[in-house]
């Protein structure tokens, strides 16, 4: 159960958002939708469908060519960009930890940029949040596994206490078991901290198992929007059906193998 002591994460709204790169590539076209505060949304679609571009318009790593994006009803360009990014956690594939800095220093970098002192207790608390032993604060990043490094990346993203978490293929480079464990840990964090989470993934199974709501992108547009049950029962339309067919067929084949057929 989510702890209600935390205020919920903010809503995120896209209003007729488009993004054209170099006046030519139309990466995102006419996206209008609202993500409610506290939702865990998976953004799914083939490579090149515009997922990362859409996500990066929230923390202004990209600016829309048309339309507007707002968080909690406030346009993202109404606050200074550093202030905006402090309120938003951002985790991506192969998150770059600084190799010459200890894990604790890596976690604290957001606090330092915010002008806060590096507080050992706070670092220990952040490591605990991502289910790493506090002793890891003294390690160097190259003494961690890939999954542990991604956990440190999540801890670093949480250091400024953002209520909105953006994740771009956060587990893309991990083995399936680690990926599964970390996915569940992130979902628990979302519930516990009352976050709004938007996670990009190309893996429909991961989206179905973790998210409250799934958005399917194709050629820059949102072509399906619904909860996992809707996607599994054919209400997402052709594009969603094609993505759901992959894990469904795998589950079917595994079940037949198990039965010795
Ligand atoms: P996804 O994350 O779904 O793989 P992207 O948002 O990265 O998709 O890309 C969508 C489209 O925009 C692709 O055609 C890609 O080549 C193009 N694109 C992405 N980033 C840039 C960029 N910085 N400059 C030019 N084109 C880009
Ligand atoms: Mg991408």
């Amino acid at each position: 159960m989510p702890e209600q002591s935390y205020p919920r994460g903010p809503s995120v709204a896209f209003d007729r958002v488009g993004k054209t790169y170099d006046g030519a590539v139309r990466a995102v076209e006419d996206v209008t939708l609202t993500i409610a505060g506290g939702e865990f949304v998976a953004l799914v679609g083939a490579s090149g469908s515009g997922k990362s571009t859409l996500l990066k318009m929230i923390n202004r790593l990209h600016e829309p060519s048309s339309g507007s994006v707002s968080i909690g009803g406030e346009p993202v360009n109404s606050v200074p960009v550093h202030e905006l990014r402090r309120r938003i956690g951002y985790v991506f594939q192969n998150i770059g930890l600084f190799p010459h800095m200890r894990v604790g220093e890596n976690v604290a970098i957001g606090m330092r940029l915010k002008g806060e002192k590096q507080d050992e207790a706070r670092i220990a608390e952040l490591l605990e949040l991502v289910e790493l032993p506090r002793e890891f604060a003294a390690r160097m990043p190259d003494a961690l596994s890939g999954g542990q490094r991604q956990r440190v990346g999540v801890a670093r993203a949480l250091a400024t206490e953002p209520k909105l978490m953006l994740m771009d293929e956060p587990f893309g480079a991990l083995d399936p078991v680690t990926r599964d464990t970390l996915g569940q840990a992130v979902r628990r964090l979302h519930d516990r901290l009352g976050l709004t989470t938007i996670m990009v993934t190309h893996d429909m199974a991961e989206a179905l198992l973790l998210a409250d709501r799934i958005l399917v992108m194709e050629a820059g547009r949102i072509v399906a929007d619904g909860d996992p049950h809707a996607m599994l029962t054919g209400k997402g339309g052709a594009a969603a059906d094609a993505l759901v067919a992959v894990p469904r067929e795998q589950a079917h084949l595994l079940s037949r193998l198990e039965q010795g057929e």
Side-chain angles (χ1 to χ4, degrees):
M1 281 296 286
E3 284 175 28
Q4 291 307 316
S5 52
Y6 290 93
R8 256 184 183 209
S11 60
V12 177
F14 296 90
D15 184 18
R16 307 215 64 176
V17 172
K19 174 70 182 176
T20 307
Y21 289 110
D22 311 322
V25 182
R26 295 169 87 173
V28 171
E29 285 198 66
D30 199 23
V31 170
T32 297
L33 63 94
T34 301
I35 290 163
E39 262 186 330
F40 192 121
V41 173
L43 189 54
V44 193
S47 182
S49 57
K51 307 181 296 296
S52 295
T53 301
L54 191 66
L55 197 75
K56 287 175 180 171
M57 287 191 281
I58 302 171
N59 61 2
R60 293 183 64 193
L61 288 170
H62 289 314
E63 301 289 342
S65 310
S66 56
S68 63
V69 182
S70 46
I71 298 177
E74 254 184 71
V76 291
N77 55 10
S78 68
V79 281
V81 76
H82 63 275
E83 173 61 35
L84 177 83
R85 293 202 188 134
R86 205 179 287 149
R87 295 185 207 163
I88 305 174
Y90 182 48
V91 178
F92 44 91
Q93 193 172 330
N94 296 323
I95 192 150
L97 298 180
F98 295 101
H100 56 285
M101 284 164 58
R102 293 182 190 283
V103 164
E105 293 169 301
N106 265 288
V107 169
I109 208 147
M111 292 182 244
R112 232 162 56 189
L113 295 176
K114 205 175 165 183
E116 289 174 6
K117 69 176 175 61
Q118 263 177 253
D119 177 335
E120 299 304 317
R122 176 76 181 130
I123 291 169
E125 185 186 29
L126 285 160
L127 289 175
E128 254 155 47
L129 267 179
V130 297
E131 299 162 21
L132 286 177
R134 54 171 62 201
E135 294 74 38
F136 274 35
R139 286 208 193 177
M140 299 307 282
D142 68 3
L144 302 183
S145 70
Q148 289 166 342
R149 277 201 288 270
Q150 281 307 88
R151 284 180 193 263
V152 174
V154 175
R156 184 170 72 185
L158 289 169
T160 55
E161 300 187 352
K163 296 298 291 178
L164 171 60
M165 194 57 135
L166 306 181
M167 310 187 102
D168 195 345
E169 312 240 9
F171 321 128
L174 304 175
D175 67 85
V177 175
T178 307
R179 193 182 169 115
D180 189 51
T181 312
L182 209 45
Q184 290 177 35
V186 161
R187 177 69 221 210
R188 278 195 296 276
L189 262 178
H190 166 93
D191 292 335
R192 187 167 162 203
L193 301 178
L195 306 176
T196 303
T197 302
I198 309 175
M199 186 180 83
V200 168
T201 173
H202 56 253
D203 182 346
M204 185 51 124
E206 187 170 79
L208 289 167
L209 293 169
L210 291 180
D212 303 316
R213 178 179 175 191
I214 295 170
L215 302 172
V216 179
M217 274 193 99
E218 202 175 64
R221 293 179 185 272
I222 303 293
V223 295
D225 177 356
D227 64 18
H229 186 256
M231 296 295 150
L232 284 164
T233 49
K235 297 188 184 76
D241 285 351
L243 292 171
V244 169
V246 178
R248 177 177 277 143
E249 179 66 8
Q250 284 174 338
H252 178 64
L253 289 172
L254 288 176
S255 151
R256 279 179 51 183
L257 275 175
E258 197 179 17
Q259 285 157 21
E261 283 178 32

